[in-house]
Amino acid sequence: MATNPEMFPIEACFDWFLLATGRGALLALAVLTLQTVFGSKLRALWRYALWFPVLFVLSSPVLPESPFSLERGWSQTGPKRMEVAVPPARSDFRIAPVVPVAASSGTNSNGGRVAASVWAAGVFVCLLVGGFAWWRALAVFRRGTTSLTPELGMEIVEAARHSGLRSAPEVLVSHTVPGPAMSGVLRPLLLLPASFTETFGRDERRLILLHEMTHVKRGDLLGNAVVCVLQAIHWCNPLVWLAFARFRADRELACDSAVLSAVEEDRRRVYGQALLKMETATVLPPFRLGFVGLVGLFERGQDLRSRLSAIAAHRGNDLASTVGGLVLLFGLVFAGATRAQHEADIDPGRSILIEAKFIEVPAAAEVARTSQSLGLDQKTGIMVWPSDTDAIEELVRTPGADVMSTPRVVTSSGQKATIEIGQQVPNGAGGLRSVGIHFAVLPGWRDGQIQMELELRLTSRKPGADPVFAERKIQSKVVVRPGEVLVAGELGREEGAGRLFLVLRPHLVEIDEAERRRRDAILIPEVVFIEARLSEVLGFLRARAQQLDPEKKGVNLVYRPVKGEPEPVVTLNLKNVPLSRVIRYLADTSNLEVEMVDADVVLRPRMAIRQGAGMHSVVVEGKDSGPPLAVQVQTDRVDLAGGAAKTKTAELAGRFVLPRVEFQNATLAEVIQFLQAKSVELDPERQGLNFVLKIPGAPAPEAMLITLSLRDVPFSEALGHVAQLSGLKLRFEEKAVVLSRDE
């Protein structure tokens, strides 16, 4: 069960309770139905055993998966997309606005929080009252204690030995005990009335003692304690109370059957007479809540008649009844006590690149969309826009749109990646709370598509003496093709603020790298242009790529301009360079960004990224991935878009693009040496960047360890990551890049 990490524990437990109590009630109805259908043909042992899957469902936080689970019949085992046709138009997508909640109350809706609190209070009261009643009942029993006769003591030892117990349990004989019973959990206590030897004959006493010892041998005391706790947890579910009443009754029937099967002779008549004497010889108090903690012969009315009928019809287990009982039990386990099994990924090792854009649009602005169709999850507001449209372009170019952040993360199929953008603020109760954006995605590669489990949470704080937080959460499963655009529609809007959109584009790294290698293999002999329009340069490169591509596929280079902005003018003089490097030069000199859209290489004007003081972190985690990789960047220190710095070193750092950066516990000195060598390699003038380390004292550069994994990242952004992970300040001076501890 996936839970919100900032959800209060009571709310997380309440979410589990709702699922467990619903499943348990349905499974209990199934057990009752099977018992009714098979009637006396179902032996007492198997009637009792059928309840254990119900106990498992009611108590287990996570159910195992099974291909036979009945959940497959009503739950969605895989992501689905609903295709709806929408004519091209400008439309304003809107989802219900976020609901503010008090800081001291936690998250989610007030109604859900109140319901969780009521449920938790009910659990506490039931446990408190039940435990007190059990303790009080035992205290009453101990007040009437009398001595144990030697003859009865010998009978108890003999019954324990016959039942296979290592030692006889502790015995309490009392005038206030209404009838034979067992109490305790790990240390059994046998409760006997003071009139036990006078009321029952020797054969009857033997059968009764064997009954109680059988409870100890089978672990019924521990099971009864578990049931008492579960009954308190599920206090508001009447079907669960009915199920536990039937569980206790079937437990006694199974114990009766075990006793009759263990004795050498037919003792059904003697056993039945003992139960009838029990009803006439004992007087139960009117208030018997404390008896739920006891395992004993307290049945009256219909339960007693059922036991007498079962004793009269007792037969030993034969092969047919054993096989039938096992079939029913395993059928309940695999069909009712499991979750629907999800199909495994065909290739769990595939690397997937997730590109994200967090875009804020003015509250009054309309969001233009030209897509002919979209996939819509009406419950969560997740919209899938096909990649062959300008949906992302239209959203970004909406008047007043603000690109808050453009994080990228590479993960593997089956590994969860988390992106967080925000900061810690006082919560009004003396602590801190995260506000901002939390986005988690679990991608899976199957059948040529990417399955994505998404969780998106937006938390904001309203100003005031008593801070109030507002939160919007979306969870969904979708299936997209590599390169397809996924848009999470309006996530929330407060009065006077903008609306937030999340745009995702997942790529299969293997395909991207294959295309990159193909572009690297296309060697252009000469590229010479003086103040030429960008479209002319791209046309020339398309033609030359078609001629020089060893695979004869060529490369489709596309420029997508912004309406109202002039087309870039380019001057180039390059010789014997790969096509991929020409594309990077074009992008750097014209302030463009490069994207892969299917097999096309798309160049568009670089988006300005808001420079805030928030924390941007990316975390990738998985079962076999080792420690999670965490990269954090303070965006008020480094211009990740390369647009704010003006020095020569900053311009060079923003122009260079590193295809891949991989460090695993490398020292800062090794990292700087690598970056300096790469800057010389990437600089057409072969001068590179000069680095200055101003870090006197400890730790020394050789003692600072850095773990970092980046792909297709600007040099300036890589430097920002290195500075942040080293706890240093980054400064671009006119002739050097300076890393220091001073401000």
Side-chain angles (χ1 to χ4, degrees), residues 119-131:
W119 166 76
V123 174
F124 176 77
V125 170
C126 288
L127 290 175
L128 183 65
V129 173

Side-chain angles (χ1 to χ4, degrees), residues 591-642:
N591 196 28
L592 304 175
E593 62 180 19
V594 182
E595 280 191 349
M596 286 291 299
V597 180
D598 293 334
D600 298 340
V601 177
V602 177
L603 291 91
R604 56 165 59 91
R606 191 184 300 273
M607 295 174 293
I609 301 177
R610 176 193 297 180
Q611 301 300 308
M615 180 71 77
H616 171 201
S617 67
V618 179
V619 178
V620 182
E621 53 186 307
K623 294 181 179 178
D624 303 318
S625 61
L629 166 67
V631 179
Q632 296 185 326
V633 179
Q634 287 285 357
T635 55
D636 60 336
R637 297 180 185 170
V638 182
D639 182 8
L640 302 183

Side-chain angles (χ1 to χ4, degrees), residues 237-400:
N237 190 336
L239 282 176
V240 172
W241 282 66
L242 173 62
F244 287 154
R246 294 307 312 157
F247 168 83
R248 293 187 174 95
D250 289 335
R251 179 185 63 198
E252 298 304 319
L253 289 175
C255 197
D256 292 340
S257 177
V259 170
L260 292 174
S261 298
V263 296
E264 298 79 5
E265 302 176 4
D266 187 355
R267 288 291 185 267
R268 289 181 292 175
R269 180 182 296 275
V270 177
Y271 202 17
Q273 289 175 349
L275 290 182
L276 288 174
K277 282 186 180 181
M278 189 72 63
E279 183 177 26
T280 57
T282 59
V283 178
L284 299 180
F287 181 71
R288 304 194 301 273
L289 181 60
F291 283 21
V292 298
L294 309 179
V295 177
L297 305 172
F298 298 122
E299 283 75 11
R300 292 292 187 272
Q302 182 60 41
D303 287 340
L304 179 59
R305 288 191 290 271
S306 297
R307 291 183 65 182
L308 292 174
S309 298
I311 290 172
H314 170 73
R315 292 172 295 168
N317 287 323
D318 53 22
L319 180 61
S321 63
T322 300
V323 172
L326 286 172
V327 169
L328 291 178
L329 178 61
F330 282 103
L332 278 178
V333 169
F334 286 107
T338 56
R339 296 180 294 121
Q341 186 178 50
H342 297 279
E343 298 181 20
D345 294 332
I346 291 178
D347 189 350
R350 293 292 184 94
S351 295
I352 299 173
L353 167 66
I354 308 293
E355 294 182 317
K357 289 182 175 65
F358 293 93
I359 305 171
E360 189 177 58
V361 176
E366 290 186 342
V367 178
R369 180 187 55 76
T370 58
S371 174
Q372 293 289 340
S373 63
L374 55 86
L376 176 64
D377 185 330
Q378 294 179 333
K379 180 179 179 181
T380 63
I382 295 290
M383 295 170 285
V384 180
W385 294 356
S387 60
D388 57 352
T389 70
D390 294 330
I392 182 174
E393 193 75 21
E394 295 290 349
L395 183 61
V396 171
R397 304 308 172 190
T398 299

Side-chain angles (χ1 to χ4, degrees), residues 16 34 37 54 127 140 152 291 445 487 519 558 704 720 725:
W16 164 82
L34 290 175
V37 170
V54 179
L127 290 175
V140 171
L152 181 56
F291 283 21
W445 175 257
V487 179
R519 295 194 299 271
V558 179
M704 298 181 181
L725 293 174

Side-chain angles (χ1 to χ4, degrees), residues 617-733:
S617 67
V618 179
V619 178
V620 182
E621 53 186 307
K623 294 181 179 178
D624 303 318
S625 61
L629 166 67
V631 179
Q632 296 185 326
V633 179
Q634 287 285 357
T635 55
D636 60 336
R637 297 180 185 170
V638 182
D639 182 8
L640 302 183
K646 299 300 182 182
T647 65
K648 180 180 179 180
T649 56
E651 291 177 354
L652 286 175
R655 185 185 309 166
F656 300 157
V657 176
L658 294 169
R660 184 169 183 172
V661 178
E662 288 283 351
F663 295 112
Q664 184 69 35
N665 291 329
T667 66
L668 176 61
E670 293 172 338
V671 172
I672 294 301
Q673 184 178 3
F674 168 83
L675 293 176
Q676 191 165 28
K678 294 299 291 184
S679 69
V680 173
E681 177 184 335
L682 296 173
D683 188 356
E685 299 180 3
R686 293 296 186 265
Q687 293 184 3
L689 296 171
N690 294 321
F691 289 84
V692 176
L693 299 181
K694 294 183 178 180
I695 48 176
E702 292 77 14
M704 298 181 181
L705 299 181
I706 295 176
T707 296
L708 190 61
S709 178
L710 302 169
R711 294 172 185 263
D712 290 331
V713 60
F715 207 99
S716 58
E717 185 173 340
L719 286 172
H721 295 328
V722 171
Q724 179 64 26
L725 293 174
S726 305
L728 303 175
K729 307 298 182 182
L730 175 63
R731 187 167 67 253
F732 290 99
E733 296 185 351

